[in-house]
């Protein structure tokens, strides 16, 4: 029997671009708290969980757990407000077609997103029913770059990790997928995702036939 194969898609940065919404919400929080932050610093938060992002922004500042939780809630409220007008047109170019192409080729498809808002975002994009499994920030304890999220997605699909292709835009996400023993397609510049097995500039540039034909993996 032929072994099942799957594609696991990261969400933010691969299927839609919410990076700016995350940035604006973190910037507002940082400004309120008098913490140094800017767009360049935000680049390091790509794919990083909400908690780990806040810890990076806080730097040396120590805060109690309840303050940490309040700050995360404040940022998330701002983030959710900015998603209010999101719709199916906010899927990145080529994203919907890529998921459909994977399905047409008989591959299983899953989401592997650090976001605890992943299901909400999928709903906004009209993609709620497009995946066989959704592993998100609520599914695991250890966030990317730990392999747990992608291993969870593979387990949900019943597919061996070595038979999974991950599509990721974040350095931490590429690290996580490599640690999971999966084939990785990095979306973005070389200095961010150049350590993936394959690299493209945008989601629309991904050609699954090239990735699937690569016998080196
Ligand atoms: P939330 P991904 C990640 O999503 C984002 O890239 C990252 O900026 C965000 O901090 C993280 O989700 C957690 O998101 O606050 O919504 O739980 O790229 O892994 O799909
Ligand atoms: Mg991402």
């Amino acid at each position: 029997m032929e072994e099942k194969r799957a594609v696991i898609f990261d969400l933010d940065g691969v299927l839609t671009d919410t990076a700016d919404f995350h940035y604006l919400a973190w910037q507002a929080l940082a400004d309120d708290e008098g913490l140094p932050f800017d767009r360049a610093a935000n680049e390091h938060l790509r794919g990083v969980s909400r908690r780990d992002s806040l810890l990076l922004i806080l730097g040396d500042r120590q805060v109690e757990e309840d303050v940490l939780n309040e700050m995360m809630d404040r940022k998330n409220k701002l983030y959710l407000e900015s998603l209010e007008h999101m719709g199916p047109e906010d899927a990145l170019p080529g994203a919907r077609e890529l998921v459909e192409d994977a399905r047409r080729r008989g591959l299983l498809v899953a989401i592997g997103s650090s976001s605890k808002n992943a299901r909400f975002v999928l709903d906004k994009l009209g993609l709620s029913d497009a995946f066989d499994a959704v592993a998100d920030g609520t599914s695991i304890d250890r966030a990317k770059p730990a392999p747990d999220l992608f291993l969870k997605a593979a387990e949900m699909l019943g597919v061996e990790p070595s038979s999974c292709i991950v599509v990721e835009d974040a350095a931490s996400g590429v690290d996580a997928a490599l640690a999971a023993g999966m084939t990785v397609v990095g979306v973005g510049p070389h200095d961010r995702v150049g350590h993936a097995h394959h690299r493209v500039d945008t989601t629309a540039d991904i050609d699954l036939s090239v990735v699937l034909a690569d016998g080196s993996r």
Side-chain angles (χ1 to χ4, degrees):
M1 201 175 74
E2 205 181 320
E3 204 182 338
K4 281 194 286 183
R5 294 184 80 176
V7 186
I8 304 172
F9 297 89
D10 173 61
L11 181 58
D12 293 341
V14 168
L15 300 182
T16 186
D17 192 4
T18 47
D20 219 52
F21 297 139
H22 280 294
Y23 163 66
L24 292 171
W26 283 128
Q27 186 70 64
L29 179 86
D31 290 349
D32 276 359
E33 297 295 327
L35 291 158
F37 189 65
D38 57 19
R39 244 173 229 285
N42 187 64
E43 269 304 297
H44 300 289
L45 305 185
R46 226 171 238 275
V48 175
S49 72
R50 195 181 309 169
R51 188 184 186 84
D52 290 344
S53 297
L54 178 55
L55 292 175
L56 283 169
I57 294 170
L58 286 168
D60 292 337
R61 190 189 295 184
Q62 303 281 330
V63 297
E64 297 289 334
E65 186 62 26
D66 57 335
V67 177
L68 208 68
N69 285 325
E70 183 281 320
M71 287 181 179
M72 287 194 286
D73 287 350
R74 207 183 329 155
K75 181 266 175 177
N76 196 49
K77 196 163 169 284
L78 292 170
Y79 175 63
L80 288 177
E81 276 169 20
S82 63
L83 295 187
E84 210 169 296
H85 301 294
M86 185 179 225
E89 67 284 359
D90 290 305
L92 278 168
R96 213 174 289 278
E97 293 80 356
L98 182 62
V99 178
E100 281 164 12
D101 185 36
R103 279 201 169 284
R104 254 197 314 273
R105 292 171 187 274
L107 303 167
L108 291 171
V109 287
I111 289 290
S113 167
S114 300
S115 176
K116 291 185 171 165
N117 297 303
R119 285 178 188 277
F120 179 70
V121 171
L122 286 172
D123 192 38
K124 286 276 186 186
L125 296 173
L127 287 172
S128 285
D129 299 326
F131 297 92
D132 300 298
V134 176
D136 63 16
T138 65
S139 314
I140 38 95
D141 291 328
R142 290 194 314 162
K144 301 170 187 176
D148 304 29
L149 187 61
F150 293 130
L151 292 175
K152 181 74 186 177
E155 182 194 311
M156 289 165 97
L157 294 172
V159 178
E160 286 299 318
S162 59
S163 299
C164 294
I165 297 162
V166 170
V167 185
E168 249 298 342
D169 71 305
S172 61
V174 173
D175 291 337
L178 291 174
M182 300 178 176
T183 300
V184 195
V185 182
V187 180
H190 200 273
D191 62 355
R192 196 171 79 208
V193 294
H195 53 314
H197 299 105
H198 302 264
R199 192 204 65 79
V200 290
D201 289 327
T202 70
T203 300
D205 297 322
I206 297 173
D207 182 345
L208 280 181
S209 60
V210 172
V211 183
L212 290 165
D214 183 3
S216 65
R217 291 279 317 151

